[in-house]
Amino acid sequence: MSRLLATLLDTTRRETRPLLLLALPICGAQLAQAGMSVADIMMTGRLGATDLAAVSVGSSLWLPLMLFMTGTLMGLTPVVAQLLGGRRTAEICPAVHQGLWIALALGVLAAALLWFAVGPIFTLMEVPAAVTERSRAYLAAVAFGMPGAALFQALRAFSDGMNHTRPSLWISLVGLAVNVPSNFVLIYGGEGLGDLAGDGLPGWLLGLPALGALGCGIATALSLWTMCLAMALYTRRSRAYGEVRLWLAPTPPRPRAIGELLHVGVPIGVAIFVEVTLFTLIALFIASLGEVTVAAHQVALNYTSILFMLPLSLSMALTVRVGNVLGQGRPGHARRVAWHGIAVSLAIALLNGLLLHATARPVIALYTHDAEVARLALSLVVLAMCYQVSDSLQVNLAGALRGYKDTRIIMLITLASYWLVGMAGGHWLGTRGIPGLTGPLGIQGYWIGLIAGLTAAALMLGERLRRIAKAVTHGTHNVHSL
């Protein structure tokens, strides 16, 4: 027992600092990128309800596409991490080049979908004509940024896998710095600039048209390409990547290597897409419950999503650490690293729960002055406190499994937990309640379904990690095979 305790203490002492050093810049980058969406909503909201609705509807279409691309390209991170850990640096460049080919293809495909496939979706959703027109213009502009977004995510996955997570933080801040002023100029035009700076501006600036939602889309595309080019420039010139010369000589597409990366990455992309669509479907289902319910749901979800950034970032860092150690040929230590990360995620979940308890009332007051909305949102935050542990555990268990390149099982568990348990169970509780005990539980029923789905995911992913880590440690599973 004393030997086990000594091992645990040694792992904690050695692994906590490097794990957090990886996670904190990732968290900052996530917050900076979320800040772009917040800026889009706030700045178009000042212009008018139609432009705000156009950007909100458009965002609900392009953000899931971008998250699918991001998840798919995250498959590159454990590949690079394992190659780095095994000191097989000569193999990193060809692998990353295949990831860049995948990113380019995904970016072009996403752009084509936004250009040509949104019309039938708007018709199906019965979006008003004025909102449809402006949202289509917004999405047409955003579509130009999709290849840049995909290429940036591939380069970020490479940098993260090389244990360099700070570049994505600084470059995401650069993207935010481009997004906000571009939004102001393009959304409000010369009239808005004149209100801000007075009459001292040149005539050509004062004559700029106010483009509204279209301007917001152009600003988003500009910021996405700025981040892409900045990341390309950094990875070309920085000495932080050692012997890896990413831009020295391009590697042509290799179908076998691309297939292997997709084998790892696509299940991650599908799992993230499933999670996003879960919250989208809940928003659609509760729309019939009234404006107060919808507003309270959005307030509680937005607030808790901000706190979720730290467990999510820890998950991405855990993928890198587990991949590095496995690449070094130390499966026993990788097993300890994985479970140490899970323990840290549990501590963060408890901290998030305390923060929710301490700050719920004042923070909700910042979102709304409607007493009914605030009261319902507070009840949902209480439920959110209940799922902090299961949510943090499931995302970090998935992160550890990605370090083992074990992604297909994550996808299957996510599908079963989120849609069958979370979505179907929540819809049943929300519309019918518990037979013989309660009537329909409304929005609380949907959130109870979320708790059940996240808990089911945490339990199944925990068992999967136990099995895969044991098998790799005992040599009965080859982690380097895809």
Side-chain angles (χ1 to χ4, degrees):
M1 186 67 183
S2 60
R3 183 178 178 182
L4 175 61
L5 183 60
T7 301
L8 291 174
L9 290 173
D10 182 65
T11 302
T12 300
R13 180 175 58 84
R14 291 175 179 270
E15 289 297 328
T16 301
R17 187 172 182 272
L19 186 63
L20 292 179
L21 286 176
L22 286 172
L24 291 176
I26 294 174
C27 185
Q30 296 294 114
L31 289 171
Q33 292 177 35
M36 294 183 202
S37 297
V38 172
D40 289 350
I41 296 297
M42 290 178 64
M43 297 178 82
T44 51
R46 288 184 57 197
L47 193 65
T50 303
D51 286 279
L52 175 60
V55 171
S56 298
V57 171
S59 296
S60 70
L61 294 177
W62 78 265
L63 283 175
L65 276 178
M66 185 165 129
L67 289 171
F68 172 76
M69 293 192 305
T70 300
T72 300
L73 295 166
M74 280 171 62
L76 186 60
T77 300
V79 172
V80 172
Q82 287 194 18
L83 291 174
L84 179 67
R87 298 185 179 182
R88 297 153 59 194
T89 53
E91 299 176 39
I92 292 177
C93 271
V96 176
H97 290 163
Q98 304 314 303
L100 290 170
W101 287 116
I102 293 171
L104 184 60
L106 287 175
V108 171
L109 178 60
L113 287 173
L114 293 179
W115 279 326
F116 302 116
V118 295
I121 295 175
F122 285 147
T123 302
L124 184 64
M125 294 170 63
E126 298 181 350
V127 179
V131 175
T132 294
E133 181 183 357
R134 298 186 191 187
S135 190
R136 292 188 73 166
Y138 166 73
L139 288 173
V142 170
F144 283 102
M146 287 292 98
L151 291 169
F152 167 74
Q153 294 298 341
L155 292 171
R156 178 184 175 179
F158 155 67
S159 187
D160 288 353
M162 293 289 293
N163 291 326
H164 297 298
T165 57
R166 289 185 183 181
S168 61
L169 167 61
W170 300 119
I171 291 169
S172 295
L173 290 173
V174 168
L176 181 61
V178 169
N179 181 257
V180 173
S182 298
N183 261 342
F184 195 91
V185 171
L186 294 168
I187 291 174
Y188 304 126
E191 184 178 343
L193 288 172
D195 292 340
L196 180 68
D199 298 328
L201 292 174
W204 67 271
L205 274 178
L206 292 172
L208 289 174
L211 298 178
L214 171 61
C216 181
I218 295 172
T220 299
L222 283 174
S223 62
L224 292 174
W225 273 109
T226 298
M227 291 164 61
C228 171
L229 295 175
M231 196 68 172
L233 186 64
Y234 183 83
T235 54
R236 177 182 177 87
R237 295 193 174 182
S238 175
R239 297 180 180 178
Y241 304 103
E243 300 174 3
V244 180
R245 298 288 182 264
L246 192 61
W247 302 102
L248 191 61
T251 306
R254 296 174 178 172
R256 179 181 176 84
I258 288 175
E260 290 176 345
L261 284 175
L262 290 175
H263 188 81
V264 176
V266 168
I268 302 174
V270 171
I272 292 175
F273 184 80
V274 166
E275 183 174 0
V276 173
T277 54
L278 169 66
F279 290 99
T280 302
L281 288 172
I282 288 177
L284 292 174
F285 282 134
I286 67 170
S288 62
L289 299 179
E291 294 179 355
V292 170
T293 300
V294 173
H297 170 76
Q298 194 60 43
V299 167
L301 187 60
N302 187 262
Y303 175 34
T304 55
S305 295
I306 294 172
L307 291 179
F308 180 65
M309 291 295 178
L310 188 50
L312 176 62
S313 304
L314 183 69
S315 166
M316 297 168 73
L318 192 55
T319 299
V320 177
R321 284 298 301 149
V322 171
N324 280 162
V325 178
L326 285 172
Q328 295 166 5
R330 301 161 65 198
H333 187 59
R335 187 181 184 183
R336 291 191 293 274
V337 167
W339 288 111
H340 167 260
I342 303 307
V344 174
S345 75
L346 179 59
I348 289 174
L350 296 175
L351 175 62
N352 278 352
L354 289 174
L355 285 173
L356 284 173
H357 178 72
T359 64
R361 290 183 184 276
V363 170
I364 289 174
L366 295 175
Y367 279 95
T368 180
H369 297 294
D370 187 305
E372 194 175 355
V373 172
R375 185 167 55 252
L376 183 55
L378 185 61
S379 72
L380 296 180
V381 169
V382 171
L383 290 174
M385 290 170 59
C386 297
Y387 75 61
Q388 289 304 303
V389 169
S390 55
D391 201 10
S392 185
L393 286 176
Q394 66 89 20
V395 75
N396 279 280
L397 287 163
L401 286 167
R402 285 196 295 269
Y404 283 91
K405 298 183 185 176
D406 190 52
T407 58
R408 284 175 293 172
I409 296 299
I410 298 174
M411 178 182 68
L412 296 175
I413 289 175
T414 300
L415 283 167
S417 302
Y418 288 1
W419 280 5
L420 294 181
V421 180
M423 185 69 263
H427 186 60
W428 180 278
L429 292 173
T431 57
R432 301 190 183 188
I434 303 174
L437 294 177
T438 67
L441 298 177
I443 183 61
Q444 284 89 353
Y446 285 98
W447 279 63
I448 292 171
L450 280 176
I451 295 172
L454 292 169
T455 303
L459 291 172
M460 288 189 281
L461 288 170
E463 175 60 17
R464 177 62 180 178
L465 179 60
R466 185 190 70 81
R467 291 188 179 189
I468 201 75
K470 182 179 179 181
V472 171
T473 301
H474 293 161
T476 58
H477 178 83
N478 182 8
V479 74
H480 299 293
S481 64
L482 297 177

